[in-house]
Amino acid sequence: VGPLGAGGMGEVYRARDTRLDRAVAIKVLPADFAKDADRLRRFEHEAKAAGVLNHPNFTGVYYFGQADGAPYVVQELLEGETLRARLRRGPLPIDEAGVIARQIVSGLTAAHDKGIIHRDLKPENLLLSETGYLKLIDMGFAKRVPKGEKTYTLCGTPYYLAPEMILHRGHSYALDWWTVGV
């Protein structure tokens, strides 16, 4: 139907699922990006991580495929605004903040129960949908971790990294995050 946006991991389009007669979003990794093995791996990983989660606080994934050398994901179409956009209008009332916090925790708990760690939690990756659900989006840095195992790969947005990611094994990366591959 038309473009919705673009970013480092591809382009997103509004589309029509003619079989089920519903609006969907299609995220496409352009064919020239698909030639980059790291981008392709991350795109596939994001689709698989999101596809495992069947929870109201995550975007529903309907299909993953490839056409003309370009991988794509068909997913739930989300309408709404990011938490960052909402906060630009002013502080959240305490009751609204509580509802949002509970939904974040509910979504993260469901992900962790499946062994998935989001690893890029920030206001830009929290969408306040028109349906009333907060959606945790952008699973590009997500990682599947076997139960009980820890991960110390430093990735994500530096200002939103968890303290245990910045301070681990006695090292502090707080001042030199750019040197560790973020």
Side-chain angles (χ1 to χ4, degrees):
V1 175
L4 289 172
M9 284 304 295
E11 302 159 347
V12 182
Y13 298 89
R14 175 187 300 268
R16 186 105 203 126
D17 178 344
T18 56
R19 290 184 182 169
L20 297 175
D21 193 29
R22 65 179 171 184
V24 295
I26 299 179
K27 187 172 188 176
V28 179
L29 184 64
D32 56 325
F33 282 15
K35 292 175 187 172
D36 180 332
D38 185 53
R39 278 190 177 169
L40 179 58
R41 180 189 54 75
R42 281 185 48 208
F43 188 80
E44 290 177 358
H45 181 76
E46 178 179 5
K48 288 177 182 177
V52 167
L53 298 167
N54 182 15
H55 189 274
N57 297 118
F58 283 95
T59 307
V61 173
Y62 305 138
Y63 187 76
F64 178 73
Q66 188 170 9
D68 299 326
Y72 65 90
V73 178
V74 180
Q75 57 192 24
E76 172 185 9
L77 177 65
L78 299 175
E79 304 281 358
E81 67 179 340
T82 65
L83 180 57
R84 170 72 65 216
R86 169 58 190 86
L87 291 171
R88 284 189 183 119
R89 293 197 322 264
L92 295 170
I94 192 74
D95 58 331
E96 186 179 349
V99 168
I100 289 171
R102 282 190 294 280
Q103 290 189 63
I104 293 169
V105 169
S106 178
L108 291 176
T109 298
H112 292 181
D113 287 348
K114 297 269 188 186
I116 297 171
I117 301 171
H118 189 283
R119 300 196 314 172
D120 198 20
L121 197 61
K122 59 186 177 182
E124 291 80 4
N125 289 342
L126 300 170
L127 185 94
L128 304 169
S129 74
E130 290 178 353
T131 62
Y133 285 100
L134 174 125
K135 300 283 188 167
L136 291 104
I137 60 174
D138 194 351
M139 301 290 286
F141 285 123
K143 181 174 177 87
R144 291 192 86 163
V145 178
K147 207 161 191 86
E149 188 177 306
K150 292 184 179 182
T151 178
Y152 290 108
T153 303
L154 191 59
C155 67
T157 304
Y159 295 114
Y160 296 99
L161 290 173
E164 62 271 19
M165 294 301 293
I166 296 169
L167 303 168
H168 81 86
R169 298 183 191 161
H171 297 85
S172 173
Y173 298 111
L175 299 177
D176 60 352
W177 57 265
W178 59 88
T179 65
V180 292
V182 175

